[in-house]
Amino acid sequence: MRKILLFALICIPFLHYAQRPQGQGARQAQPIKITGKVIDKDSGQPLEYATLVLQSVRQPEKVTGGISDTKGNFEVDATAGMYNISVEYISYTTYKLERQLLRGSTNLGTIALSLDVSRLDEVEVIAERTTVELRLDKKIYNVGKDLTVSGGTVSDVLDNVPSVSVDVEGNVQLRGNDDVRILINGKPSAITGLNSTEALRQLPAESIEKVEVITSPSARYDAEGSGGIINIILRRSKLQGLNGALTLNGGYPLSAGINGNLNYRTGNVNIFTNTGYNYRKRPGNSFNDTDFFDADGAFTNALREERDIERIRKGVNANFGVEWYVNETASITQSIFVRDSDNESETTNNFFQRDLAGNTSSGFRFDPETEKDETFQYSFNFDKQFNGESDHKLTFAFQYEKSDEVEESLIVQNGFDSESVRTAEDQRRVFMQTDYVVPLGESGQFEIGYRGDFNKLNTDYDVAFISPTEEELGITNPSNVLDYKETINAFYTQYGDKFNKFSFLAGLRYEATRLIINQIETNDFNRNNFDGLFPTLNLNYELSEKESFQLGYNRRIRRPRSFFLNPFPSRSSPTNLFQGNPNLTPSFSNQVDLGYLKRWEKFTFNGSIYFQHATDVISFITEDTGEDTFFDGEQVSILRRTPVNLASNDRYGIDLTATYRPTRKWNLNTNFNLFNLVTRGDFNGQNFDAENLSWFIRLNNKITLPGSVDWQTRVFYRGPTENAQTRSQGIFSLDLAFSKDLFKEKASLAFNISDVFNSRRRVSETITPFFVNDSEFQWRVRSYNLAFTYRFNQKKRRGGERQRDFGGDGEEFEG
């Protein structure tokens, strides 16, 4: 019956056109609109993609309908007449109204659907299809069955998300901007750890449901992150009964893991967990080849360094929670997240020196490091709806976090103990947020809220030079303790409305930041306070149901991190140090973004052009400290790398995303980004003007082969980059993956190869008046992974079962 209805829906526009009366005297049926809203009866949450079907009683072959939007609302054009009406949603009991005479536009009101326990075996709990939903204000990447990340990490997932790229060192960028705010379930979280790059490499991909990319955030979101916001949504089921999935994976270089998600719902209580243990070896390598010159440009000496890195990442991640539906309009959710990881790395650096006379020397430096991370997070969330409306609600969230990280290493140089380094970080964080949303008029909505973020970080840096000693190196007081406190209080309000095809959302956010930087050993105390107003505006105009434009404006802030503000020097070697700048001020930016969205039957296109102007840009410079030390018997200068506020930069670019689904068994998506960064500024009499034009393109292709074997290919290329001193070559990588369902789709076996040609490496050349450097860096080598997933009381959704498609309006595709 479902296929018959779907076929009828596809054909009916043509039949209707062919059979309509001709001539001026033909009688036209009265056009009407059918509206309403679909919600979950237990939670009161809106159901997106619910299907409304209108079947004519007199002409049963005449069928029309539509699907609900993100707020559960639907609006369907029809003609006056008598209809059988049904509202369907997978795993829910169908709502039916028989023989309804509709003479004019009708509002069916709020339709509450209940879960149908008898159909659980037909339901997909975790979407097994990877989908990209394109919207004007955001891109939503549903992880699903992304074969290339099976057994991988969150960092691998983000590298597949449109507009997002992850460089060879694991730094996340959005449209080429590394100042990105990463949220977990809409909030800052201890899950991202003290070092977000490393934490994302340890969180398993199987724990993620979807990723939202927001390039023009509204006032509801905090203003941090000039590049925008990446919101990671963790998996959680709400189906009645017991259901779950278990994934085992192993690979080469040696890796192994077990991850499971489990859900049990009975009555008004839902219990969920997502837990896993992973062990991964991640070997990497790099080399540096440097020629040095004197003030006249004459060659003085050369240094070549070859570095091999062996990393082991192992640890447990666990998320436990209970959701209680107090009544039909209120719910309380409490959850606990814990992480316990032990990481190891061994870095061997062989260096070779050659002087002007051709004399050579060599040596090695061995740095074994251990890292212990422990994280605890407690979350409380309250959701209250008023008058049975999901759009009229009050929410409150509280979060407490505790993170501890200890890194220790004993560095050996040329066979002798050289120095010992220990860094211990202890972070405590309290987060609170409350939001109130109320509808105004027929389509208006007013919102007001508060967010408080209270962060305290203690960093104990202890270094001891053994051979040569501190006295021989001329170094004093190399150790210190830093107390850092950050308090952010924010208030916001916003209002949105819709007039025919035009809609807008305007908001204003105020954030007050208070910083304290206290060096215990040296008694240096600094305080930094700054406030800011952050207006936002999003305008949307619909040319049709399938074509629309959006214009967005927002003001953002980039706050200096605690590491940037710590004035105490930390040394990577006796001749190189990093020193923070307590006088750093935040960088403010203004961005304008013009977006366009168009949907066809099998093709969807989303494009945007944007411009951003930032002031007091935080940049890093390297300068001579004016101090000397003895290294390998020679007197050498000590270089310092430090952050400073430069004048300004302008960033502009193009962001294009397209999805194409020619058949049910073939799906493609591609994303192209072109961006240019122009920096202008001087510091201490030196000019740091630079211009960097770069681009990247990503292509995902998924096809189902004979025997129901899924084959996925991912191609990525990042174009060459260049600034005032450094030129980097383009980076190409190719990933392949295959998957086969087993045991009547209750299990899946997936095999993937990451970086097939072992080409994901950064190759750069740096030219200055005093040295020329050629370098190459590869964070990890090519890897292979095999993953097996078994589901109980969960079943894959077959293609086309998610919803009826009235006129090809669906946004999603596989791949």
Side-chain angles (χ1 to χ4, degrees):
M1 181 62 183
R2 184 181 294 266
K3 293 182 178 179
I4 294 174
L5 290 175
L6 180 59
F7 177 79
L9 291 170
I10 295 174
C11 296
I12 195 63
F14 302 100
L15 294 175
H16 177 67
Y17 179 83
Q19 295 176 4
R20 66 179 182 180
Q22 301 296 319
Q24 295 180 353
R27 180 182 177 185
Q28 299 295 326
Q30 178 185 353
I32 62 174
K33 288 185 180 293
I34 308 301
T35 58
K37 184 171 187 175
V38 187
I39 65 172
D40 181 296
K41 184 177 181 180
D42 293 326
S43 66
Q45 295 297 314
L47 295 178
E48 183 181 7
Y49 296 118
T51 305
L52 170 73
V53 179
L54 301 176
Q55 185 179 34
S56 174
V57 173
R58 295 181 179 178
Q59 296 175 282
E61 73 280 2
K62 184 178 179 181
V63 181
T64 187
I67 58 175
S68 59
D69 60 18
T70 56
K71 295 182 179 181
N73 297 317
F74 59 81
E75 181 177 306
V76 176
D77 293 322
T79 56
M82 184 174 290
Y83 292 92
N84 292 325
I85 303 174
S86 63
V87 179
E88 302 177 2
Y89 193 79
I90 290 179
S91 81
Y92 285 74
T93 303
T94 299
Y95 172 86
K96 293 183 179 181
L97 289 174
E98 302 290 344
R99 301 181 65 84
Q100 298 295 305
L101 181 59
L102 305 177
R103 292 194 175 95
S105 296
T106 303
N107 188 338
L108 298 179
T110 300
I111 300 171
L113 300 183
S114 302
L115 284 167
D116 186 352
V117 180
S118 64
R119 298 175 58 195
L120 284 182
D121 189 50
E122 304 174 8
V123 175
E124 173 193 29
V125 177
I126 300 174
E128 290 297 338
R129 298 190 307 179
T130 298
T131 62
V132 174
E133 298 177 26
L134 300 179
R135 301 179 184 174
L136 276 174
D137 60 338
K138 69 177 73 173
K139 297 182 181 73
I140 301 176
Y141 177 83
N142 298 305
V143 178
K145 192 180 180 183
D146 188 338
L147 310 182
T148 63
V149 300
S150 295
T153 67
V154 172
S155 185
D156 298 321
V157 170
L158 292 180
D159 206 23
N160 256 2
V161 176
S163 305
V164 178
S165 60
V166 181
D167 66 19
V168 294
E169 294 176 312
N171 300 309
V172 179
Q173 297 181 338
L174 180 54
R175 292 172 166 178
N177 190 341
D178 61 1
D179 183 27
V180 182
R181 182 65 157 167
I182 297 179
L183 305 178
I184 303 293
N185 294 333
K187 300 184 289 293
S189 172
I191 295 177
T192 58
L194 291 167
N195 182 339
S196 61
T197 297
E198 192 61 41
L200 295 176
R201 284 171 168 165
Q202 298 186 46
L203 193 64
E206 288 78 13
S207 63
I208 298 181
E209 179 180 335
K210 61 184 178 182
V211 178
E212 298 178 341
V213 177
I214 308 170
T215 53
S216 185
S218 70
R220 176 187 299 177
Y221 296 96
D222 53 346
E224 177 75 26
S226 61
I229 292 174
I230 296 176
N231 185 25
I232 299 172
I233 307 298
L234 301 182
R235 279 183 168 167
R236 190 176 79 194
S237 172
K238 293 186 178 182
L239 283 179
Q240 289 282 356
L242 179 67
N243 54 83
L246 182 68
T247 298
L248 303 172
N249 69 82
Y252 177 83
L254 181 61
S255 65
I258 178 171
N259 296 277
N261 65 82
L262 188 68
N263 177 84
Y264 178 70
R265 178 171 176 178
T266 175
N268 58 359
V269 176
N270 185 44
I271 304 172
F272 57 91
T273 181
N274 197 309
T275 304
Y277 173 82
N278 289 277
Y279 176 98
R280 296 184 178 91
K281 277 192 173 183
R282 288 291 183 260
N285 58 82
S286 70
F287 83 85
N288 281 276
D289 198 351
T290 308
D291 291 337
F292 296 93
F293 306 91
D294 61 19
D296 298 323
F299 173 82
T300 57
N301 65 298
L303 174 66
R304 181 182 178 89
E305 297 177 87
E306 297 176 352
R307 182 179 301 177
D308 291 312
I309 310 166
E310 294 289 339
R311 307 181 191 86
I312 297 177
R313 302 289 184 261
K314 54 186 176 180
V316 174
N317 293 275
N319 185 38
F320 304 91
V322 177
E323 187 171 12
W324 174 36
Y325 302 102
V326 182
N327 51 46
E328 293 184 356
T329 63
S331 66
I332 294 175
T333 304
Q334 299 184 80
S335 63
I336 293 174
F337 173 83
V338 294
R339 174 171 49 224
D340 191 340
S341 60
D342 291 295
N343 302 324
E344 303 171 14
S345 67
E346 293 183 350
T347 303
T348 303
N349 188 2
N350 294 291
F351 54 88
F352 309 88
Q353 300 183 76
R354 176 172 56 89
D355 61 18
L356 181 62
N359 300 315
T360 61
S361 61
S362 62
F364 73 90
R365 179 181 174 95
F366 178 65
D367 183 2
E369 181 182 271
T370 61
E371 179 182 325
K372 175 73 172 177
D373 294 318
E374 294 180 348
T375 299
F376 171 85
Q377 175 181 290
Y378 167 77
S379 300
F380 173 91
N381 293 273
F382 173 75
D383 190 311
K384 170 64 179 176
Q385 299 174 8
F386 301 93
N387 304 322
E389 299 180 16
S390 60
D391 290 338
H392 187 190
K393 62 182 178 180
L394 172 69
T395 59
F396 172 77
F398 171 84
Q399 202 163 271
Y400 170 77
E401 306 168 7
K402 179 180 182 295
S403 299
D404 296 295
E405 179 182 291
V406 178
E407 298 177 356
E408 295 180 297
S409 64
L410 177 61
I411 299 171
V412 177
Q413 187 160 315
N414 297 329
F416 298 94
D417 292 346
S418 174
E419 60 189 87
S420 66
V421 181
R422 182 182 186 274
T423 304
E425 291 185 292
D426 179 5
Q427 184 182 51
R428 302 292 185 272
R429 186 174 189 173
V430 174
F431 169 86
M432 293 185 294
Q433 178 174 328
T434 184
D435 304 283
Y436 177 69
V437 184
V438 57
L440 295 178
E442 294 184 0
S443 57
Q445 181 173 284
F446 175 77
E447 185 172 344
I448 190 170
Y450 162 80
R451 173 179 289 194
D453 202 337
F454 312 96
N455 183 24
K456 181 179 180 181
L457 175 64
N458 178 274
T459 303
D460 187 348
Y461 177 75
D462 187 11
V463 59
F465 291 95
I466 302 171
S467 178
T469 65
E470 296 172 12
E471 290 77 13
E472 293 172 330
L473 292 171
I475 297 175
T476 58
N477 300 324
S479 303
N480 193 30
V481 178
L482 172 71
D483 264 343
Y484 172 82
K485 295 180 181 179
E486 179 185 66
T487 299
I488 302 174
N489 286 285
F491 301 88
Y492 81 93
T493 183
Q494 61 183 17
Y495 174 75
D497 208 338
K498 183 175 183 180
F499 307 96
N500 296 322
K501 295 184 177 182
F502 174 77
S503 60
F504 73 91
L505 179 62
L508 181 65
R509 187 178 186 90
Y510 167 75
E511 293 190 353
T513 305
R514 303 292 181 262
L515 302 180
I516 295 177
I517 305 107
N518 183 19
Q519 296 183 85
I520 305 300
E521 299 292 331
T522 59
N523 292 320
D524 289 336
F525 184 89
N526 292 276
R527 189 187 298 272
N528 198 351
N529 302 330
F530 43 87
D531 302 341
L533 287 174
F534 303 93
T536 63
L537 178 65
N538 286 285
L539 307 176
N540 182 54
Y541 183 76
E542 296 180 0
L543 297 176
S544 67
E545 291 183 356
K546 300 181 181 180
E547 187 176 13
S548 53
F549 285 92
Q550 185 188 47
L551 179 65
Y553 163 79
N554 60 83
R555 187 172 191 248
R556 310 287 294 168
I557 185 175
R558 180 178 188 177
R559 296 182 180 90
R561 298 165 50 191
S562 62
F563 183 60
F564 296 174
L565 296 169
N566 186 1
F568 189 81
S570 59
R571 287 173 167 80
S572 57
S573 74
T575 60
N576 291 275
L577 60 86
F578 176 88
Q579 186 171 15
N581 179 2
N583 297 316
L584 271 183
T585 59
S587 173
F588 292 91
S589 62
N590 293 272
Q591 177 172 298
V592 178
D593 191 308
L594 176 63
Y596 173 73
L597 176 64
K598 172 70 173 178
R599 299 187 183 97
W600 289 268
E601 182 177 357
K602 297 181 179 180
F603 183 78
T604 302
F605 172 79
N606 175 229
S608 66
I609 57 176
Y610 57 91
F611 172 79
Q612 181 184 83
H613 176 73
T615 58
D616 294 326
V617 178
I618 299 175
S619 302
F620 292 91
I621 64 168
T622 300
E623 58 184 1
D624 194 328
T625 62
E627 301 176 358
D628 295 331
T629 187
F630 287 92
F631 183 67
D632 280 355
E634 296 184 7
Q635 185 174 358
V636 295
S637 297
I638 298 178
L639 300 179
R640 171 172 54 215
R641 187 168 182 261
T642 186
V644 298
N645 288 112
L646 289 182
S648 66
N649 70 26
D650 292 327
R651 180 186 300 271
Y652 53 90
I654 302 174
D655 184 0
L656 307 175
T657 303
T659 69
Y660 179 54
R661 185 175 185 177
T663 69
R664 286 180 55 190
K665 295 185 177 182
W666 186 14
N667 305 273
L668 303 95
N669 75 67
T670 185
N671 177 238
F672 173 77
N673 267 264
L674 174 69
F675 42 88
N676 192 46
L677 177 64
V678 180
T679 301
R680 296 288 181 260
D682 296 274
F683 184 78
N684 286 345
Q686 184 176 354
N687 182 264
F688 287 88
D689 289 357
E691 184 168 347
N692 179 24
L693 175 67
S694 188
W695 57 278
F696 70 81
I697 187 169
R698 178 189 293 110
L699 174 67
N700 269 300
N701 180 57
K702 186 177 180 182
I703 190 169
T704 302
L705 303 174
S708 299
V709 175
D710 292 330
W711 170 24
Q712 183 174 339
T713 304
R714 174 185 174 274
V715 180
F716 178 84
Y717 180 77
R718 183 185 182 107
T721 61
E722 184 175 355
N723 58 32
Q725 293 182 326
T726 303
R727 175 185 300 171
S728 298
Q729 298 180 14
I731 299 175
F732 170 84
S733 65
L734 173 70
D735 301 332
L736 293 176
F738 301 88
S739 177
K740 169 67 176 176
D741 293 324
L742 306 169
F743 310 129
K744 298 181 179 180
E745 297 185 348
K746 291 184 177 180
S748 300
L749 187 66
F751 173 72
N752 66 63
I753 308 173
S754 178
D755 195 9
V756 173
F757 299 111
N758 205 34
S759 57
R760 191 173 176 83
R761 63 183 68 205
R762 184 189 65 230
V763 180
S764 302
E765 180 186 35
T766 300
I767 300 177
T768 74
F770 301 103
F771 68 87
V772 174
N773 171 262
D774 292 311
S775 65
E776 186 172 312
F777 177 78
Q778 184 176 30
W779 191 83
R780 68 177 182 185
V781 299
R782 176 178 50 234
S783 61
Y784 308 84
N785 190 81
L786 182 67
F788 175 78
T789 299
Y790 182 79
R791 299 172 287 273
F792 56 94
N793 292 335
Q794 296 182 354
K795 191 174 183 179
K796 278 185 57 181
R797 178 185 298 114
R798 299 171 178 82
E801 285 187 357
R802 176 162 185 169
Q803 81 264 354
R804 290 188 176 92
D805 186 358
F806 297 97
D809 196 36
E811 294 176 323
E812 59 181 26
F813 75 104
E814 297 179 16

